[in-house]
Amino acid sequence: MIRSLFYSIGLLSLSLGVSFVIHANMGAGPWDALAVGESRLFHLTIGTCIFLNGCILIGVNAFLLKERPRWLAALSIFLIGQLVDFWLTPTM
C-alpha cells in the first residue's frame, strides 16, 4: 500500500515537472522535446506522443531482447502521458 502511494506521488510529480518545463519554454529534455515536436507536427497532444514513443521503445526493446513486451511499463507511460495532458490542459 505504501509503495503504491509513493509510486503515485512519483508519477504525479514527474508529470507536473515535465509540464512546468514545457510550459516555461526552458528547453525540455530530449524525449519531452521529441514529444512536443511530434505534437506540433501531427496535431496530437503531448501526452499522446509521450505514450506512442514509449510504446515504440517497449516494442523495440522486446524485439531486441526476444521477449514479450512488458505491458505494465506501457501502463505507466500511459499514466504519465495522461497526467502531462492533464497538467497542460489549462495552458494549451
Side-chain angles (χ1 to χ4, degrees):
M1 178 66 181
I2 193 80
R3 292 176 71 190
S4 298
L5 177 66
F6 278 113
Y7 183 73
S8 300
I9 291 171
L11 288 179
L12 284 169
S13 62
L14 171 74
S15 62
L16 181 62
V18 168
S19 301
F20 280 158
V21 170
I22 290 170
H23 180 64
N25 288 326
M26 292 175 47
W31 292 109
D32 301 326
L34 175 66
V36 170
E38 289 172 339
S39 74
R40 291 181 181 163
L41 181 66
F42 299 119
H43 304 290
L44 299 169
T45 65
I46 294 171
T48 301
C49 293
I50 289 172
F51 175 65
L52 293 175
N53 291 338
C55 286
I56 290 169
L57 287 174
I58 289 171
V60 169
N61 185 47
F63 175 75
L64 291 176
L65 294 176
K66 297 178 180 146
E67 294 178 352
R68 299 182 75 185
R70 298 191 176 161
W71 297 113
L72 285 178
L75 177 64
S76 296
I77 294 168
F78 175 74
L79 290 173
I80 291 169
Q82 292 298 311
L83 287 169
V84 167
D85 283 344
F86 171 76
W87 294 122
L88 288 176
T89 298
T91 62
M92 292 177 92

